[in-house]
Amino acid sequence: MRTRPLKVALLGCGVVGSEVARIMTTHAEDLAARIGAPVELAGVAVRRPSKVREGIDPALITTDATALVKRGDIDVVIEVIGGIEPARTLITSAFEHGASVVSANKALLAEDGATLYAAAEEHEKDLYFEAAVAGAIPLIRPLRESLAGDKVNRVLGIVNGTTNFILDKMDSSGAGYSEALDEATALGYAEADPTADVEGFDAAAKAAILAGIAFHTRVRLDDVYREGLTDVSAADIASAKRIGCTVKLLAICERAADGKSVTARVHPAMIPLSHPLASVREAYNAVFVEAEAAGQLMFYGPGAGGSPTASAVLGDLVAVCRNRLAESTGPGESAYTQLPVSPMGDVVTRYHISLDVADKPGVLAQVATVFAEHGVSIDTVRQQGKDGEASLVVVTHRAPDAALSGTVEALRKLDTVRGVASIMRVEGE
């Protein structure tokens, strides 16, 4: 074993960073044995230096992250500060000054991963980011390495624990969205400002990363279609139950049937109770991967939190340090296919549509005619009426999303349709 330690700089010491530092200290001997050399925490960049950080030598604390990454003797920089800047500048500077990087920054990777990949390649350094998607669940490395010889056609997953907790509570207790969100906040699953989670931004960033790796093409955050779950109602949950489904916020990345394009999207969807993702409860994450040779694979576990995320960071740290000792690097960007990302309108999917209609003869015929005129085939219809009003629920067969959207707009114009109570996609059949 080499006695000279590999030096590590830690950018950020919040929930994740502090846990990374703790594990590096308490498991120092094990990490050294696994790597082949000791690792030394050489500096910790923070915004509030006066805060007491148990187990961390105060002499290591600095507010000058730029100077830390430019020291020249740092082997690995761990970035857990998040956001676009100054993270992007710090990471590229780390590469320029001889360090490899381990990051948990999903937003930056989704927004400008190409810049980071290019800088890592130019300076022959590693960029690892297992912790950016699905917390402790090993997912990035299996896609980048274990399935590198296979053809991945679909990645379907629950990649945000907050939204899964909310929808699970709505399903199990009958609570409304606001009540479930309040409970998630009280338990620490939701931030004081939950927008990034409940509006789907967090999941969309992860979908961009997963699609890019799975399909060997560049997918940015702006390429991902996004809907949040704020409009999901208790009535939607009840409707899903009536057709043997539950509602999940899904990240879905697919290769087109002709192989000439890909899609990436995040939105609430009904999935059959028989699907493996339907049983994912509380704040857990799970990702379902479909590959030509490997078939169907499922990755499941805690998707957030200090300890789970730190586990992924430390796994990357071990891999990067081993590469440093071997004077090699791991996989970089693979974007050789250069496939275009198709708009949501081209995606083929199913819809569950609830309509409030007049309870009189001929209404169903009118509705069916609208579907036929837009080339959308109906799978099932359920109608209940009372006192001149009725509820009409239609589940479609698969059709282009644009055709389904056009169908809904045409339905709104019918005199006999009082309103569209809810619209939700159906996935996972």
Side-chain angles (χ1 to χ4, degrees):
M1 177 184 294
R2 193 180 86 167
T3 57
R4 181 168 62 84
L6 293 160
K7 293 187 177 183
V8 178
L10 178 61
L11 307 183
C13 198
V15 173
V16 176
S18 60
E19 189 66 7
V20 168
R22 184 192 70 78
I23 296 173
M24 284 185 64
T25 302
T26 58
H27 295 181
E29 291 186 6
D30 286 336
L31 289 172
R34 295 166 191 172
I35 292 169
V39 288
E40 173 190 319
L41 190 58
V44 181
V46 299
R47 286 184 298 176
R48 295 184 292 275
S50 60
K51 181 179 178 180
V52 176
R53 293 173 172 85
E54 187 177 347
I56 299 178
D57 183 351
L60 296 177
I61 300 297
T62 179
T63 57
D64 194 343
T66 300
L68 180 58
V69 301
K70 288 183 175 181
R71 273 178 36 172
D73 64 337
I74 300 298
D75 293 288
V76 183
V77 169
I78 297 176
E79 183 272 311
V80 288
I81 58 177
I84 306 302
E85 289 291 356
R88 174 169 47 199
T89 299
L90 291 169
I91 290 174
T92 54
S93 182
F95 292 136
E96 291 167 3
H97 289 83
S100 290
V101 173
V102 172
S103 176
N105 197 331
K106 55 186 170 287
L108 177 55
L109 287 158
E111 179 68 28
D112 196 17
T115 294
L116 306 187
Y117 278 125
E121 182 178 1
E122 178 184 355
H123 298 285
E124 298 182 339
K125 296 296 180 287
D126 273 324
L127 173 63
Y128 275 55
F129 47 89
E130 186 67 64
V133 180
I137 303 172
L139 182 59
I140 300 299
R141 199 167 302 159
L143 285 173
R144 285 216 292 184
E145 300 178 31
S146 303
L147 295 173
D150 207 340
K151 182 180 180 182
V152 176
N153 291 317
R154 196 172 195 232
V155 180
L156 171 73
I158 298 164
V159 294
N160 183 276
T162 300
T163 53
N164 199 58
F165 179 88
I166 291 170
L167 290 171
D168 183 47
K169 288 302 173 184
M170 292 176 70
D171 182 84
S172 61
S173 69
Y177 166 75
S178 296
E179 297 170 84
L181 174 59
D182 288 345
E183 185 175 353
T185 304
L187 292 172
Y189 292 129
E191 301 286 346
D193 180 1
T195 302
D197 293 324
V198 300
E199 293 294 353
F201 290 103
D202 176 86
K206 295 170 181 176
I209 295 169
L210 291 174
I213 296 171
F215 307 133
H216 303 277
T217 194
R218 284 183 180 170
V219 180
R220 298 180 69 252
L221 181 58
D222 290 345
D223 295 322
V224 182
Y225 174 84
R226 176 191 55 80
E227 288 179 22
L229 54 72
T230 53
D231 291 332
V232 177
S233 67
D236 292 325
I237 303 294
S239 293
K241 286 184 175 181
R242 281 194 288 269
I243 63 170
C245 290
T246 189
V247 177
K248 299 291 185 182
L249 185 76
L250 298 178
I252 306 169
C253 311
E254 294 177 303
R255 188 190 301 268
D258 62 8
K260 295 180 179 180
S261 64
V262 300
T263 59
R265 51 196 166 106
V266 167
H267 54 73
M270 297 179 179
I271 58 172
L273 295 175
S274 58
H275 194 281
L277 292 179
S279 61
V280 178
R281 307 294 301 276
E282 298 285 332
Y284 277 77
N285 284 192
V287 178
F288 203 70
V289 177
E290 299 176 10
E292 284 198 357
Q296 297 179 333
L297 307 170
M298 183 167 166
F299 301 83
Y300 169 83
S307 293
T309 306
S311 172
V313 169
L314 268 296
D316 279 351
L317 176 64
V318 169
V320 170
C321 285
R322 286 172 175 170
N323 290 343
R324 295 283 290 195
L325 293 179
E327 298 183 349
S328 65
T329 57
E333 182 182 31
S334 175
Y336 73 92
T337 63
Q338 299 182 14
L339 295 172
V341 182
S342 296
M344 186 63 191
D346 293 346
V347 173
V348 177
T349 186
R350 299 173 66 202
Y351 266 24
H352 177 284
I353 305 170
S354 296
L355 303 171
D356 295 326
V357 300
D359 186 16
K360 61 182 184 180
V363 172
L364 180 56
Q366 286 184 328
V367 169
T369 297
V370 170
F371 277 91
E373 288 174 348
H374 287 79
V376 178
S377 177
I378 294 174
D379 184 14
T380 62
V381 177
R382 185 176 69 253
Q383 183 174 0
Q384 292 179 320
K386 185 178 180 180
D387 299 329
E389 299 296 329
S391 173
L392 185 65
V393 177
V394 179
V395 178
T396 72
H397 284 292
R398 291 170 63 84
D401 198 80
L404 289 162
S405 297
T407 302
V408 172
E409 291 306 308
L411 289 171
R412 295 182 193 274
K413 297 176 182 178
L414 291 178
D415 293 338
T416 51
V417 174
R418 310 298 192 216
V420 180
S422 69
I423 307 168
M424 190 169 294
R425 295 175 182 86
V426 182
E427 298 286 346
E429 69 269 48

